[in-house]
Each structure stands twice: as structure tokens, then as C-alpha cells.
Amino acid sequence: MLAKVLSSAVMGVDAYLVEVEVDIAMGLPTFNTVGLPDTSVKESRDRVKAAIKNSGFDFPSRRITVNLAPADIKKEGASFDLPMACGILAATGLIRPERLKDHLILGELSLDGGVRSIKGALPMAASAAHARLAGMILPAENAPEAAVVEGIQIFGVETLPQVVEFLNGTLEVRATRIDLTAVFAQHAEYSVDLTDVKGQAHAKRALEVAAAGGHNILLIGPPGSGKTMLAKRLATILPDLVLEEAIEVTKLHSICGLLPGRAALIATRPFRAPHHTISDAGLIGGGTIPRPGEVSMAHHGVLFLDELPEFKRSVLEVLRQPLEDGVVTISRAVTSVSYPARFMLAAAMNPCPCGYFTDPQRECTCSPPQIDRYRARISGPLLDRIDLHIDVPSLRYRELAVETQGELSETVRARVKQARALQHERFKRTKTFCNAQMGSKQIRRHCSIGPEGQRLLETAIERLGLSARAYDRILKVARTIADLEGQGAIRTDHLAEAIQYRTMDRR
């Protein structure tokens, strides 16, 4: 007796179809799973056996062989429980095989026959729609997420008997449908706002410039000055996610099982803030079976590294490729997968080990060599990829006690959108998306300055001791400042403001 059930598994950010073949033959009672299953898949036999028995069905006391095809790709996770159970019941004649051919089945089984949620439902639904299947049967908790994909019916189920009755045509299960526009509007709200931050007008202006040009930013200031609070609000002033971007972000969170319960879509830009003890694999992604890291979870959003010098040097160095390419490639002996990682980097650090080097109210206890060693933990190549270095001073009481509120994130976001629209028009026939990504040729073409501006830059480099790497960064940031004002040409006041944002380059 042989039965075949269609299922799916994730590789990278996409999914592929898996055919679950179940053969029941005469012989001693055994349950073998082949097709490169990992430990969690091998353990399915115990869950499946208990679920079938506790749901009121007879479990065959024969030789059962389950094959997961294609057999040359490693399989993991508990999402094969339900298709295995359906295959066994179909092989014993309890499920009619006709409807198994055009439905994708996924789900983890509890011992009492309940169907539990799984990871990666959204990319799996996309693969089922691409294969032109009629429907997809999966846990009810994952149904709204999978219903984002058009062109396939999504049936959310809660128990194994419910699946059996549905496949036999004796029970009707309503297909899950969602209004994408309504869901998108409902979830496109942030829990924080830029108006929450008191004072720090200079830092807020720098955040606006960074958001407008897609520039990476480094906040430098004593403890308690509001660096983390400012960074958390950077995502709220970035342009709104479009639907395609929201689906990409939701896919990555779905693969990692980080979607909120029964959430269909992530409609706000992600903000990820890993601890400084994170490993290379945790930041970039990896593992025996590759998984996305924090840089991919921050795709289309903000990656915030607090206490930047406390991160391991090796961890910071692996950031260089995703910052340049916007993608992370993880190679293993049997496969190579790529994850998107186009994010804005926001970092924060103290000016010295004790934190009070620039604080007029507290005395710094660090020696000059200690300060130099502390700052040297951030390598030059990484610093090269951060366009704005901002001093965030501690606030005085009168700034904290003031009742007037600053601008709303929505107001600042409107100006950022206008600046990004200019850049979209400027780079519409290239692979460049914003000013921060400009190469040398584009800088020469779009960032030309007059004789007065050249003299200002020369003075800044000579008198302030700015490094050579600061030259292109200043021009990029000045271009963004001009875009915020809707100006086609870069003026000297744009250059002067951009020069202020190079604190770490000064001697």
C-alpha cells in the first residue's frame, strides 16, 4: 500500500515542494524515515503514532517506510508530522487519495491529534501557488500569514480528524481570506515617535539626514544622553514600506518563527538591536542548516549596535560585505544560500571607557592611551561605511523639564519621502537606491561643487584634520542635505553642515 502527499520545506528565503511517500508493507512493525531527515523529523514517528491513535484511528502494525523526496536535501522541522499522518491514513484506506494530489499539507502534531503552528508558512504558500496547486492545508494559526499569497486557497485546520474529514469531503472548511490593504493599514503604526525625545535638536536633524539619504550613522555621547532612544525612532522616520517590501520582511520573520500570533503581515520597518555578546553566525546567519541572522532580520529596516566598541572585532568585520552588497551568502558543503540584508546601520558608543570624556558635568577618569585603545576597537574599514558621526551631549534639567514637544515622526517622514523621491528619479536607471550607495562616478556627476565649496573643504581637511576618507562622505551627505531642501546644486552651507557630521575623523 502506497500513498503520496505533497508538503514543503524552506531553503534560504524561498521554499520547495517535498513529496512525502508512505509505504506500508508486511513485516515486523517498524517506522523508518528516509530522505536526509534531521533529528526533529525522525522523532515525528512517535508524535504521528500517538496522534493517530488518540484521534480514534487504527495505527497499522506493519512495516512503514516514509521517504521525503528530493532525498538529497536535508530536511528539518516538525512540519512533516501532518503530511506523514495523512499518508499513513491514505495508505490504509481511511483517506481518499484524489484530493491529496492538489493540496499542500503542513503542520506539527501534538500527541492528542491537535495541529500546531509551523515556521515558514508564507514562502511555502508562495511555492504552492507557483506550482498551481488548488489549496494548502496548514495550522489555523498560520492561515492569515499564508493567505497573503494570491492564487491559492488556504485552509486552516486545528485537529487531525478535521483534516481527514475535509479530505474525504464530509466536512467543509472555509478558505481563509484577508484584505491586504486593510491589514497593511492596520499594522503600519509604530509604538514610538520622535516627539518623545526631548532636546537633542542637532541629533534629530542628523537622523533626518541619515534617513533621507540612507546613510549609516554613529551616535557618540555619555551614558543617559538618549542615544538608544534616538536610534529606536530612526525607523519611524524612514519612508513607509511598500507591499513588496513588507512581504519580503514577513518572509524572513516567518522562516525564523518570529511573527506575532496570527499576524498576517509586518507593515513597519524592522528594528533589530542584538546584544554585544552576539556571535558571527548570530549576526550574519549560519548554522549546519543555514538560518538568517540579525542583518537579514533588519532587511528594509534598522540594525542598531549599542556599545559598538564592546562587540568582538571579528563580529564587526563580517558586517562589511552586507553593508556593501545588501546580501549575505552562506556556503556549506552541500549547498549555498543567500539572504537579503539591505539595512541601515545605526550604532552608539561612549566617547571613552568611563563615558564622560565630553561631559561638562562629570570628570573623565580615562587616560589618553585608554581612550585611543577604546576607539581603535572600531576598524577603519567599518568606519569608512558610516557616513555620519554625531555627538549626543547629556541634557540639562531645563531641556528635560520643557513642556513643548518636538516634531512628530510623521512630519519628518514626509520630508524624507520627498528627498527619497528626488533620489529615485536621479538613479532610476541604475542599481543605486539612495545617495549613500553612490560610487565614485556618481559622486563626480551628482555632487559637483563650486570654487567656494572647494575652498571650504580644503580648509576643513587641513584645519580640522579630516582624513581623506571623509571627502566622499561629506559630498554624499551634502547631496542629501540639498535634496531635503529641494535644491539641485550643493551650496556651501550644505557642505558646512555635512562637515559637522565627521566627529570621528578629526584628530
Side-chain angles (χ1 to χ4, degrees):
M1 294 177 284
L2 178 68
K4 296 182 179 181
V5 181
L6 288 176
S7 189
S8 184
V10 174
M11 178 180 289
V13 292
D14 297 313
Y16 61 97
L17 295 184
V18 175
E19 191 171 48
V20 180
E21 300 174 314
V22 179
D23 177 67
I24 301 179
M26 300 297 292
L28 293 174
T30 57
F31 193 137
N32 297 316
T33 305
V34 296
L36 284 184
D38 74 344
T39 304
S40 61
V41 179
K42 290 179 180 178
E43 290 176 348
S44 293
R45 62 178 181 267
D46 299 314
R47 292 192 296 271
V48 169
K49 185 175 182 179
I52 289 176
K53 286 185 174 181
N54 292 327
S55 297
F57 303 110
D58 291 329
F59 188 83
S61 297
R62 296 185 181 183
R63 182 181 180 86
I64 301 173
T65 304
V66 177
N67 178 46
L68 306 176
D72 59 342
I73 302 176
K74 187 80 171 177
K75 318 297 188 311
E76 65 164 350
S79 60
F80 296 111
D81 290 4
L82 186 58
M84 283 184 187
C86 290
I88 291 171
L89 294 176
T92 55
L94 294 176
I95 291 180
R96 291 160 51 189
E98 302 87 50
R99 300 188 68 181
L100 291 176
K101 298 177 182 178
D102 52 6
H103 283 79
L104 193 75
I105 302 177
L106 296 157
E108 176 184 347
L109 287 174
S110 61
L111 299 185
D112 63 355
V115 181
R116 291 176 172 168
S117 63
I118 58 170
K119 299 178 182 178
L122 178 55
M124 291 175 185
S127 71
H130 182 72
R132 299 179 181 274
L133 297 179
M136 181 176 180
I137 302 170
L138 77 171
E141 191 172 342
N142 298 113
E145 168 194 349
V148 169
V149 178
E150 297 178 349
I152 186 169
Q153 289 188 305
I154 304 298
F155 301 102
V157 295
E158 296 181 350
T159 64
L160 177 59
Q162 186 181 2
V163 177
V164 173
E165 292 179 27
F166 172 71
L167 290 173
N168 287 332
T170 58
L171 175 69
E172 182 182 355
V173 178
R174 285 189 177 183
T176 302
R177 292 183 175 84
I178 62 169
D179 184 345
L180 264 184
T181 305
V183 170
F184 198 71
Q186 178 185 353
H187 292 90
E189 293 183 2
Y190 295 92
S191 59
V192 295
D193 197 279
L194 195 62
T195 191
D196 302 334
V197 182
K198 295 187 177 180
Q200 304 295 11
H202 174 67
K204 288 180 182 178
R205 168 64 176 175
L207 286 184
E208 180 179 344
V209 173
H215 302 285
N216 300 320
I217 186 170
L218 173 62
L219 304 171
I220 309 161
S225 58
K227 303 185 295 295
T228 303
M229 194 174 185
L230 284 162
K232 285 183 177 179
R233 283 146 183 82
L234 176 57
T236 69
I237 62 174
L238 290 172
D240 297 321
L241 282 176
V242 297
L243 182 59
E244 292 78 8
E245 292 175 333
I247 290 175
E248 286 182 28
V249 173
T250 307
K251 267 188 180 183
L252 287 161
H253 284 71
S254 173
I255 291 167
C256 295
L258 296 178
L259 278 180
R262 294 187 179 268
L265 203 64
I266 292 178
T268 56
R269 294 196 177 268
F271 177 86
R272 305 293 298 182
H275 193 259
H276 64 258
T277 56
I278 193 171
S279 65
D280 302 17
L283 189 64
I284 294 297
T288 306
I289 298 177
R291 279 284 177 266
E294 289 292 333
V295 295
S296 296
M297 299 305 293
H299 184 53
H300 290 315
V302 176
L303 176 68
F304 177 52
L305 303 182
D306 201 2
E307 303 295 343
L308 186 63
E310 302 299 333
F311 283 79
K312 296 176 187 175
R313 184 70 172 254
S314 61
V315 172
L316 293 179
E317 291 307 304
V318 297
L319 277 174
R320 287 157 60 177
Q321 186 223 350
L323 283 172
E324 285 290 327
D325 303 334
V327 67
V328 171
T329 301
I330 302 170
S331 298
R332 292 292 179 266
V334 295
T335 187
S336 178
V337 297
S338 295
Y339 295 108
R342 193 168 298 282
F343 59 91
M344 277 186 63
L345 175 64
M349 62 178 284
N350 295 331
C352 66
C354 76
Y356 298 106
F357 178 58
T358 58
D359 192 344
Q361 306 298 319
R362 300 282 296 271
E363 184 179 355
C364 176
T365 60
C366 305
S367 65
Q370 285 178 314
I371 297 174
D372 289 341
R373 284 195 298 271
Y374 180 74
R375 295 193 174 198
R377 294 180 188 175
I378 306 170
S379 67
L382 178 61
L383 209 57
D384 271 349
R385 291 161 174 80
I386 301 177
D387 293 344
L388 284 81
H389 312 153
I390 311 302
D391 283 322
V392 184
S394 56
L395 293 175
R396 297 180 180 274
Y397 174 76
R398 61 175 176 269
E399 293 175 297
L400 293 170
V402 69
E403 294 295 332
T404 56
Q405 293 183 333
E407 286 185 304
L408 294 168
S409 290
E410 185 179 0
T411 306
V412 179
R413 186 163 63 243
R415 294 197 295 267
V416 169
K417 284 181 181 178
Q418 291 177 352
R420 286 288 185 104
L422 292 174
Q423 294 164 49
H424 178 73
E425 183 66 23
R426 180 181 301 138
F427 304 124
K428 63 182 179 181
R429 294 179 182 176
T430 69
K431 294 182 179 180
T432 303
F433 298 99
C434 55
N435 289 336
Q437 299 171 358
M438 284 193 291
S440 300
K441 290 183 179 179
Q442 291 171 317
I443 291 174
R444 289 197 298 270
R445 180 177 179 182
H446 301 296
C447 303
S448 59
I449 55 177
E452 189 176 351
Q454 293 285 4
R455 287 194 295 273
L456 176 61
L457 268 180
E458 182 182 2
T459 303
I461 290 174
E462 290 181 356
R463 293 191 179 180
L464 298 178
L466 297 179
S467 65
R469 68 181 174 224
Y471 181 79
D472 284 352
R473 269 47 187 185
I474 289 172
L475 290 178
K476 288 181 182 181
V477 174
R479 176 70 269 167
T480 299
I481 296 169
D483 288 343
L484 280 168
E485 295 185 7
Q487 299 292 324
I490 298 175
R491 303 196 307 260
T492 53
D493 57 314
H494 301 150
L495 283 169
E497 182 179 350
I499 290 168
Q500 295 180 68
Y501 300 142
R502 299 301 302 179
T503 300
M504 292 290 286
D505 281 330
R506 300 173 189 172
R507 293 195 192 108

